[in-house]
Amino acid sequence: MNGGDEVAAATPAGPPPALEWKFSQVFGERTAGEELQEVDIISAIEFDKTGDHLATGDRGGRVVLFERTDTKDHGGSRRDLERMDYPITRHPEFRYKTEFQSHEPEFDYLKSLEIEEKINKIRWCQTANGALFLLSTNDKTIKFWKVQEKKVKKISEMNVDPSKAVGNGSVASSSNSSAPKPYLANGGCTDRLHNSPGNDFSIPAGGFPSLRLPVVVTSAETSLVARCRRVYAHAHDYHINSISNNSDGETFISADDLRINLWNLEISNQSFNIVDVKPGNMEDLTEVITSAEFHPNQCNMLAYSSSKGSIRLIDLRQSALCDSHAKLFEEQEAPGSRSFFTEIIASISDIKFAKDGRYLLSRDYMTLKLWDINMDSGPVSTFQVHEYLRPKLCDLYENDSIFDKFECCLSGDGSRVATGSYSNLFRVFGCSPGSTEATTLEASKNPMRRQVQTPSRPSRSLTTLTRVVRRGAESPGVDANGNSFDSATKLLHLAWHPTENSIACAAANSLYMYYA
């Protein structure tokens, strides 16, 4: 009787269909001809674990928070509404919540170095008592912020109407003397107050019948207050490129070019150096740390990438100083393919764990690679992001664009990956078995404008059938749709919503949001 059902269940489902992306919102959009201010350029984006809050950091040292609004309208979380079969048709919508100055420009007098205020990374921490907590860092200093709604306190029961009070504090110093000429508490005569031009303050004849002292009362109004709880400083000689929270909720790591430090959130004056790749002689230096990330579920595991294109997985239980790695992930160079640019473009700019911790995504200059942490022989899939730029590597080296650090992200279910490119484009690839999805989108109100019409086809790698190389339609010197590329407009920062198909990306000072 159930035989038909069993056969249907045994048939493997095909890859999910390609998503159709739509524009949702834009914050900070520039009008035509408006000049771009350097301090307004977004330098970090991060969703919190629930996806209800989004944080951005900019080169001016500010952190801006956005909160989700479409779930609040129905009075419950999206997950609860789905459980009740509540029809949800709206896409995720966010609104501006608050902003605060996280970092200020500093000067290191010992090294005669200016430390800019630019926010390099933001990471959300666990919420508590309705307050939001997050870590933000510039090149040298990490700060732990608490953002909380506080009830506004107001002064009430004043002797005089506050709307007529002067701003110099004369109100509080009035006296209720019954003398014909009332005097102020400090001995000054109030005649001057009556006679002085432009002063609205007046005392009734005979003075006040009784003196009412100002009383501070808590009103129903609330305001958001951001307070710096801790400052983690003086632990890095080189520029911090990564911070990452541990799943234990108590510790986090910070990484610079040569070292990774482990911190406790409660202790700001002490950290433990867990990785140190600095050689005895700096002339022997061959690679630097480019990114570091804690495993999402196992508090003892973390991964870090290097400028040589390798990723090392380390286990904190092995030793206090993790000089030896548990696993090394790197792709072997094809013979005869080496050039002047090989090592530069192999440098990994970002790594991200999938939500379940099984897969690891890495971004180098030309490609995205998906790694299975149980298989260190090579990547499971390789996605070509902008192969059409390969003939232009010399030009990109000349204008330093070849050193641009693009970020990458995975969808909550791990079935898709995304990363940015030039001309304000970003790519979304399907990484499910058999998927051929390779979408090119533009950070504008019409994201599909530059969409490649010809479907991309996976080409099997010679080394193993499980590895896939994905390409968009390519032609040298132009982008995926035949347009000339612009290396000045680059989309470096983007983030995928943790539970839904929604992407936030930064194009200069504008924050664009898309959904599918």
Side-chain angles (χ1 to χ4, degrees), residues 83-109:
R83 216 173 280 130
M84 295 186 296
D85 290 334
Y86 197 101
I88 297 174
T89 54
R90 295 179 65 182
H91 57 83
E93 282 186 9
F94 286 78
R95 73 176 178 198
Y96 170 86
K97 186 179 177 78
T98 188
E99 69 179 86
F100 55 90
Q101 188 72 34
S102 173
H103 287 73
E104 301 277 359
E106 299 172 55
F107 191 80
D108 187 335
Y109 294 99

Side-chain angles (χ1 to χ4, degrees), residues 9 16 27 36 53 66-67 139 160 169 172 253 313 330 346 358 370-371 384 399 427 455 462 474 490 492 494-495:
F27 296 95
L36 174 64
H53 293 94
F66 301 88
E67 67 177 345
D139 286 338
V160 293
I253 53 168
L313 194 68
E330 60 183 354
R358 169 73 186 270
L370 189 68
W371 307 80
Q384 305 287 358
N399 63 19
R427 311 287 312 272
L462 295 174
E474 295 154 11
K490 46 202 163 205
L492 301 176
L494 76 172

Side-chain angles (χ1 to χ4, degrees), residues 119-153:
I119 305 293
N120 289 346
K121 290 285 187 234
I122 295 173
R123 289 290 179 267
W124 289 91
C125 301
Q126 291 178 349
T127 57
N129 302 323
L132 302 172
F133 293 90
L134 48 90
L135 288 165
S136 63
T137 184
N138 65 353
D139 286 338
K140 296 287 183 181
T141 307
I142 306 157
K143 294 186 179 182
F144 184 46
W145 290 91
K146 178 182 182 180
V147 182
Q148 190 175 28
E149 278 193 350
K150 289 200 170 181
K151 289 189 174 177
V152 177
K153 291 183 176 178

Side-chain angles (χ1 to χ4, degrees), residues 417-483:
V417 295
T419 191
S421 181
Y422 293 103
S423 306
N424 280 345
L425 300 179
F426 63 101
R427 311 287 312 272
V428 178
F429 299 96
C431 50
S432 302
S435 173
T436 59
E437 183 176 354
T439 311
T440 303
L441 300 149
E442 182 182 43
S444 69
K445 289 186 176 178
N446 182 10
M448 307 294 278
R449 186 173 66 153
R450 303 240 191 153
Q451 181 56 42
V452 180
Q453 300 304 320
T454 53
S456 62
R457 303 185 179 195
S459 60
R460 295 291 178 194
S461 171
L462 295 174
T463 49
T464 167
L465 289 175
T466 60
R467 299 182 201 165
V468 179
V469 179
R470 196 77 44 77
R471 296 183 176 87
E474 295 154 11
S475 59
V478 294
D479 69 16
N481 205 35
N483 301 296

Side-chain angles (χ1 to χ4, degrees), residues 278-337:
K278 186 177 181 179
N281 182 359
M282 284 296 278
E283 289 179 5
D284 299 332
L285 184 68
T286 57
E287 63 180 331
V288 295
I289 298 166
T290 56
S291 183
E293 180 102 344
F294 257 122
H295 190 283
N297 311 319
Q298 297 177 28
C299 61
N300 56 289
M301 303 290 285
L302 66 96
Y304 70 91
S305 59
S306 84
S307 56
K308 277 196 165 180
S310 60
I311 302 169
R312 290 172 175 83
L313 194 68
I314 60 174
D315 189 339
L316 296 175
R317 296 171 300 185
Q318 284 184 341
S319 65
L321 187 63
C322 302
D323 286 334
S324 59
H325 50 265
K327 282 189 178 174
L328 174 68
F329 304 95
E330 60 183 354
E331 192 168 26
Q332 295 306 315
E333 202 178 290
S337 64

Side-chain angles (χ1 to χ4, degrees), residues 159 175-183 190 194 203-211:
N159 270 25
S175 166
N176 67 337
S177 167
S178 58
K181 284 188 176 179
Y183 288 86
T190 56
H194 287 288
I203 293 178
F208 292 109
S210 64
L211 178 65

